[in-house]
Every structure is written in C-alpha cells, then in structure tokens.
Amino acid sequence: MTSTPGTPPVELLVCTTCRAGLPTDAPAPRPGARLHDALAGLDLPERVILRGVECLSNCDRGCSIVLRGGPGRWTYVYGNFTGPDDAELIRDVAARYEQTADGLIPWRERPPHFRKNCITRIPPQEIPE
Amino acid sequence: MTSTPGTPPVELLVCTTCRAGLPTDAPAPRPGARLHDALAGLDLPERVILRGVECLSNCDRGCSIVLRGGPGRWTYVYGNFTGPDDAELIRDVAARYEQTADGLIPWRERPPHFRKNCITRIPPQEIPE
C-alpha cells in the first residue's frame, strides 16, 4: 500500500474522555483513553498522525474517532467502538483512508463496523460539485 | 451583534438530500432541500455562507446541518431538524457562531434544540491544549 502523492497527512483523532456507556464511577482509565493508548502502541503509517482529543460530543455512541486530512478530503466520524480491542481495525482503516485523495474509501473495502457506525461525514473545504 | 475581527467567514452546510424519516416515495422536494431553500430566503449575516451538500451521513437523525469556519473554530454537526420551520432558529445560531473566534457558543446561549441535538463536534485544525 502506498500513499497518494501530493496529499496532506491524515489525522486520527480519538476521544479520550469517552466512557462508552460505563457508569461515572467506573475505574479509570476510560475506554476512550484505553483505545487511544492501544493505538499509540501500534505501528501506525508514517503519515497517519494520532491525536487524543477531549469530547467529540458523541457520548451516546462512543467510543468515537475522527479521520480527517486536509482541505481536499471528506472528514468522517465513526462511533460505537468498545475500546482497545478495536485498535487494529481502526489502524487499518486509517491507513486505507490515507491512500485516498478525497477521503472516500470504496464501500466494499469498508469493514462492517465502519459501514454500520458512521456517525456523520463532512465535505472537504473544496466541496465537490 | 458584531463579527469577531480577523476570523474567517462561516459556512452553514445543509444536507439537501435528507428525507427526515419520510418514506422513499414521499413527494419531492425533500425536507432537507426545503430547509435549505427556506434558509436561502432569509436575510443571513454577510459572513455566513449557506451551502447545500449531499448526504452528511446522519440519515437516522436528520435534517442535518454543519457549522464550520476556518482552522481556528470547532466544527459542529446538529440534527433532528424537521424542515423549513427550523430555518430562523438555525439562522440565529449561525449568526452567534460567526461571532465566536473558536466556534464555542456558551451553553446558556444555545437554544434547547441545539443543546439536545448535537450529533458531534470536531476540534479546530489548531487543537487547543
């Protein structure tokens, strides 16, 4: 798998405050933080930048991630991850996203969780006609 | 109400393909398109740019809008609008969003619909520490 020439790097944002439905008195670290730490421990592609963020406001359907990558790519928000067990799947999709110029991964190449748990998508800054 | 000096203009994106739960054989135009047209008929602030977009992938909780405005503002996705009757409320919130430097409208200033129907929010390109 190779990068798309000339495209910006990709950001993989992980909501580290997500409880994923656990009660407020559940022991730390939270599922979102554990997912972030699991991703940080993987061999991510060079042009996929992992960043932890506070509250993506998708609390009812977390854990949540965002994939974005410059003005020419669609931004995607995915939810309903359970925690660190999803890290490798997310890594693989982030790598595939990085290979696109527009952020659109062909439907047949999206793992079932990503087909079923897209929270929203936001057009590129340069909105296609 | 005045703009925040030096901030980029704001985009108000409206999903024009949204059916808002109506059956597929309901007569056109769709609720999303009608919401867009109602907003287009209002006197929007000069620095709020209305754009229709196809499918924000929030179909279960549409009609949907996005507020975004340059690299320094949080992006917000709001849902569960019913159609053109929501246009004036959306116009007012877009105007308030445009006055912010970071996209964060104080909680007490958010109308109830916007408090209850935030689908997700995405950090600025320049993520605050």
Side-chain angles (χ1 to χ4, degrees), chain B residues 24-105:
Chain B
T24 55
D25 60 355
R30 299 184 182 186
R34 294 177 62 217
L35 173 58
H36 174 269
D37 292 349
L39 282 160
L42 293 180
D43 187 23
L44 295 177
E46 187 180 354
R47 281 160 39 86
V48 173
I49 300 160
L50 175 67
R51 305 182 74 166
V53 297
E54 288 196 4
C55 198
L56 293 169
S57 218
N58 182 45
C59 313
D60 289 344
R61 300 196 285 175
C63 300
S64 308
I65 68 157
V66 177
L67 285 171
R68 67 179 177 185
R73 284 191 180 100
W74 286 81
T75 295
Y76 278 84
V77 183
Y78 293 101
N80 291 317
F81 298 106
T82 54
D85 290 349
D86 295 313
E88 293 191 10
L89 180 68
I90 293 169
R91 185 262 320 268
D92 293 347
V93 172
R96 184 66 189 86
Y97 178 87
E98 193 276 320
Q99 293 163 14
T100 69
D102 56 8
L104 298 172
I105 301 174

Side-chain angles (χ1 to χ4, degrees), chain A residues 4-78:
Chain A
T4 300
T7 58
V10 159
E11 283 184 302
L12 167 58
L13 310 181
V14 179
C15 181
T16 58
T17 47
C18 191
R19 302 180 190 276
L22 292 182
T24 54
D25 60 352
R30 297 182 184 190
R34 293 176 63 216
L35 172 58
H36 174 270
D37 292 349
L39 280 160
L42 293 180
D43 188 22
L44 294 178
E46 187 180 352
R47 280 161 39 88
V48 173
I49 300 160
L50 175 67
R51 305 181 75 165
V53 295
E54 287 195 6
C55 196
L56 294 168
S57 217
N58 181 46
C59 314
D60 290 342
R61 300 196 286 176
C63 301
S64 309
I65 68 157
V66 176
L67 286 170
R68 68 179 176 185
R73 285 192 179 98
W74 287 80
T75 294
Y76 278 83
V77 182
Y78 293 102

Side-chain angles (χ1 to χ4, degrees), chain A residues 83-108:
Chain A
D85 289 349
D86 295 313
E88 294 190 10
L89 181 67
I90 293 170
R91 186 261 321 267
D92 293 348
V93 172
R96 184 67 188 85
Y97 179 86
E98 193 277 319
Q99 294 164 15
T100 69
D102 56 9
L104 299 173
I105 301 174
W107 183 257
R108 66 182 178 280

